[in-house]
Amino acid sequence: TGFLLNGTYYDITTTADFSGNITIRLPYNPDAVPDPSTLRMYHYDSSLSSWVDVTIGFDNVTHVIIGVVSSLSPFALGFPILDFSGFLQPINSDGSSIFKLGRTVPVKFQLSDDSGAFVTNVTAFIFVAPVNNGVIGPEQPAKSTNSKTGNIFHYDNEHNQYIFNWDTNDLSIGTWRIRVLL
């Protein structure tokens, strides 16, 4: 389907005659959607046999998502499925990367949507945890070489990638697991 259902589904119909576009306003639960800008309204287009994102905006005061369509049929609220590229160089995808302790490690990845377009507006956090004898230790936010960014990636428009300059000064020698939270 191209999206993860938020648990809300509507089948809207009418017996009234209409022409032109119709504005649809559907409520969402703000407790279940911490960042409404990631939520999308999908409309089932029977001529395409697929769900189409018809979102045009949000009313964050009344907790309503707004979409525009030219016909009525099933609607669903959901989140687009993102394609994670895996970590980019200098991190090896097979886990064989070796870095010198105390150096900066650029952690990079790309995200795209189901149509292959780069996703540029996600907030991505990085966490690291030591791994000893196959056992993952306690997780902690990764430290950046730029103290103002916390453990949040920034987006590089030139290379269409998220990047975080990981400061390894305070780490111990060994294997570390990286986890990204979107």
Side-chain angles (χ1 to χ4, degrees):
T1 59
F3 67 95
L4 297 173
L5 185 64
N6 185 39
T8 308
Y9 173 90
Y10 301 89
D11 193 0
I12 301 174
T13 61
T14 184
T15 57
D17 290 331
F18 62 90
S19 64
N21 289 333
I22 305 164
T23 301
I24 304 293
R25 297 173 57 89
L26 299 175
Y28 65 85
N29 180 348
D31 296 329
V33 183
D35 181 4
S37 69
T38 61
L39 186 64
R40 296 289 176 260
M41 180 189 301
Y42 294 94
H43 173 248
Y44 188 76
D45 187 329
S46 58
S47 67
L48 299 173
S49 296
S50 67
W51 292 89
V52 178
D53 182 351
V54 296
T55 310
I56 63 162
F58 302 89
D59 181 335
N60 293 325
V61 174
T62 60
H63 309 295
V64 170
I65 186 169
I66 306 162
V68 171
V69 295
S70 59
S71 65
L72 296 175
S73 68
F75 292 85
L77 301 185
F79 302 96
I81 295 174
L82 303 178
D83 183 25
F84 176 74
S85 67
F87 294 111
L88 304 173
Q89 288 295 314
I91 296 176
N92 299 330
S93 61
D94 65 1
S96 65
S97 304
I98 298 175
F99 301 102
K100 289 187 177 187
L101 190 61
R103 299 288 176 111
T104 297
V105 177
V107 180
K108 302 180 273 187
F109 67 91
Q110 295 175 318
L111 289 176
S112 56
D113 64 18
D114 59 349
S115 68
F118 288 111
V119 175
T120 64
N121 61 346
V122 170
T123 302
F125 300 88
I126 181 172
F127 298 90
V128 296
V131 179
N132 293 310
N133 297 320
V135 176
I136 299 170
E139 191 173 75
Q140 62 193 16
K143 285 180 65 179
S144 171
T145 55
N146 180 348
S147 62
K148 295 178 184 176
T149 61
N151 68 324
I152 300 174
F153 283 82
H154 76 272
Y155 191 76
D156 174 1
N157 288 310
E158 182 180 348
H159 297 100
N160 295 311
Q161 64 189 9
Y162 291 83
I163 186 166
F164 181 87
N165 290 316
W166 182 19
D167 180 354
T168 65
N169 275 317
D170 295 338
L171 303 180
S172 60
I173 293 175
T175 301
W176 288 80
R177 180 188 77 161
I178 298 171
R179 182 174 71 91
V180 174
L181 174 67
L182 305 178

